[in-house]
Amino acid sequence: NPKFTRLTGYSSEEVIGKSPAILKTGHTRPEEYRALWETILDGREWHGEFRNKKKNGDYYWESACISPVKDAEGQITHFMAIKEDITERKAAEETLQEKEVHLHYLAHHDILTGLPNRLLLQDRLRHALGKAERAQQKVALFFLDLDRFKNVNDSLGHDVGDELLQQVASRIKACIRSSDTVARFGGDEFVIIVENIEQIEKVASLAQKLQQELTKAAHVGEHELYISSSIGISIYPGDGLDTESLLSSADVAMYRAKAKGRNTHAFYTADMNARSHEFLLIESGLRRAIDLNQLVLHYQPQIDLASRRVIGAEALIRWQDPEKGMISPVDFIPLAEETGLIVPVGRWVLQTACAQARRWQDQGCPPIPIAVNISGRQFKQPEFVDMLVDIVESAGLDPKWLELEITESVIMENVDEAIMTLTDLKIRGFQLAIDDFGTGYSSLSYLKRFPLSKLKIDRSFVRDVAHDENDAAIVASVIALTKNMDLQVIAEGVETEDQVRFLVDRGCLEGQGFLFSRPLPTEDFERFCKNNLSR
């Protein structure tokens, strides 16, 4: 009929008397044809679909209903086929199926790295635990977090950070077996499922292999980046019987690895839960301490080593908890850094120190600079300089009486940006010091570019300076360096007269330490200045 000729491109003369096989594409399986013939030869009606071929070679889809035609005796003499062109409908269905497949992929994979996401990870972990339970096997779960990855995003931008994450994903996949699963858990966190564990030693070896691979230089555009990772490991069934408990145990172990100094791994142990709970209590308590004014500053005198006069003070934070008493910064500052609480805590320290410095000047005390430690998170805040200006203006304090102590590792993370920030601070009148000098990795070529006022020699070098030749050589070199660069130098951790003699003989005339005084509450510091070493 005319519809057939329009659809297929064949004229009636070309097909009458021919087998329908001229339309075949080979896509219909032989068993489907057998089922068709069995149905219609049995006298029943057959319904189905064919993918056929036009005269010009194009494919099309048709829906067919084939019925047997019988004579008066009930014998089959012919077959009648009623067909419908369903090409457009099939195309729409295929498009819908492709979309469904794509949506399923998006729902279960991380778009940036192509790795399984948290949803697919949990499904695979449930499957792995079920299989391990039946086979009486062990499963290792790795929780991997990149160390200080935020610095990359903050200093170089998210495009660089994203490409670095892609390289990290590729490196992790190269370290594990095809039967293992690596997933991006979120941000810079990755989780690895390692099944069929026979020896725990091999788990530790894999952790070391991952860390070695990730510490290799990564090249992203013009940048050569170095990154490390902290890995927490939990083992099924000992550290958890379900996905939630196993992930939680690995997460706790990962934070223990970070507390050990990063770029290492830690296996979960039962005592970690208690420590994790303690950290949560400290974190919530610290948040309340800020609101309830439980934070206080103590001041450690900085001394002219020749005259023993007070020439400055370092402001050091303490936490006066009503139940636990005085809490050392060693116990809460690392947590504050980790959670971001260091930003409001640091702002409070600056405000309190500046207000106190102004108060002492108003009381007629000779003005002395107050040194305040600046954390890496604070220093990288976009509004850091403006915040400092607001604080000194609100306190009515000349910026020259506020000395900002910044560790060399912080300013070396992004040298160009650090130079811009430090220069801005210097122009505005703030005093700038490198804290813990000698423990980081700055080179002299960089050091000369920083607009610094002072270097602070770390206590680890000062401690044995009178007895250890290496420490003596280092300290002497640093003092000579400051003279050549026209910088002030101060030694911290001074505890003996032998140390004082060594420092003075080499030209370091400023120091602080327990030989002179521990950090003191405000009133005791005032008394110390007036009664003993005031100017």
Side-chain angles (χ1 to χ4, degrees), residues 243-346:
T243 58
E244 289 76 14
S245 58
L246 209 59
L247 279 166
S248 176
S249 296
D251 187 31
V252 169
M254 183 272 291
Y255 277 103
R256 175 59 62 89
K258 282 192 177 294
K260 287 165 62 179
R262 296 182 170 86
N263 194 27
T264 188
H265 65 274
F267 284 87
Y268 175 80
T269 57
D271 71 298
M272 288 184 182
N273 262 339
R275 180 64 175 162
S276 177
H277 181 65
E278 181 183 349
F279 261 54
L280 287 174
L281 291 177
I282 292 176
E283 180 183 355
S284 60
L286 183 56
R287 292 183 187 277
R288 290 195 304 272
I290 298 172
D291 297 331
L292 299 176
N293 297 318
Q294 295 175 357
L295 301 178
V296 296
L297 287 186
H298 286 187
Y299 299 88
Q300 185 170 36
Q302 295 179 333
I303 305 297
D304 181 300
L305 298 180
S307 65
R308 304 297 172 102
R309 294 176 301 146
V310 176
I311 56 172
E314 180 178 1
L316 298 163
I317 191 171
R318 299 291 185 268
W319 176 7
Q320 183 67 58
D321 185 89
E323 297 179 0
K324 298 181 180 179
M326 193 68 75
I327 300 176
S328 168
V330 174
D331 294 325
F332 68 87
I333 289 299
L335 180 66
E337 287 272 10
E338 194 72 43
T339 60
L341 284 172
I342 195 66
V343 174
V345 169

Side-chain angles (χ1 to χ4, degrees), residues 117-239:
N117 62 11
R118 186 181 301 215
L119 183 64
L120 183 55
L121 167 78
Q122 291 175 328
D123 183 64
R124 290 190 180 178
L125 184 54
R126 278 192 293 269
H127 178 76
L129 298 185
K131 189 166 67 172
E133 182 182 14
R134 292 189 296 273
Q136 296 296 297
Q137 295 175 336
K138 289 183 171 64
V139 175
L141 192 70
F142 289 61
F143 202 113
L144 185 153
D145 183 86
L146 300 181
D147 298 327
R148 299 185 178 92
F149 176 77
K150 187 176 182 297
N151 295 341
V152 176
N153 279 339
D154 290 347
S155 59
L156 301 178
H158 287 272
D159 289 343
V160 173
D162 286 350
E163 188 171 339
L164 179 59
L165 285 173
Q166 291 171 335
Q167 292 190 29
V168 166
S170 298
R171 292 186 184 191
I172 294 174
K173 286 178 67 176
C175 290
I176 64 175
R177 303 170 301 185
S178 58
S179 58
D180 300 329
T181 293
V182 55
R184 186 183 177 200
F185 201 66
D188 59 343
E189 297 174 334
F190 297 84
V191 173
I192 305 166
I193 305 170
V194 183
E195 300 185 53
N196 193 18
I197 296 299
E198 296 178 355
Q199 296 176 310
I200 298 300
E201 291 78 8
K202 292 185 177 180
V203 177
S205 295
L206 176 57
Q208 292 169 354
K209 181 180 178 182
L210 286 164
Q211 287 173 311
Q212 290 170 0
E213 187 65 26
L214 293 180
T215 53
K216 295 178 181 176
H219 297 276
V220 181
E222 61 183 12
H223 305 288
E224 183 177 76
L225 305 176
Y226 292 87
I227 199 159
S228 62
S229 62
S230 298
I231 302 175
I233 306 168
S234 59
I235 306 292
Y236 169 89
D239 301 331

Side-chain angles (χ1 to χ4, degrees), residues 105 108-117 169 173 182-184 190:
Y105 180 86
H108 293 84
H109 289 82
D110 171 55
I111 302 304
L112 178 65
T113 63
L115 297 177
N117 62 11
K173 286 178 67 176
V182 55
R184 186 183 177 200
F190 297 84

Side-chain angles (χ1 to χ4, degrees), residues 437-439 457-465 471-472 474-475:
F437 183 74
T439 62
I457 304 174
D458 186 66
R459 68 180 67 248
S460 61
F461 299 116
V462 174
R463 182 178 55 245
D464 297 322
V465 74
D471 285 347
I474 292 172
V475 172

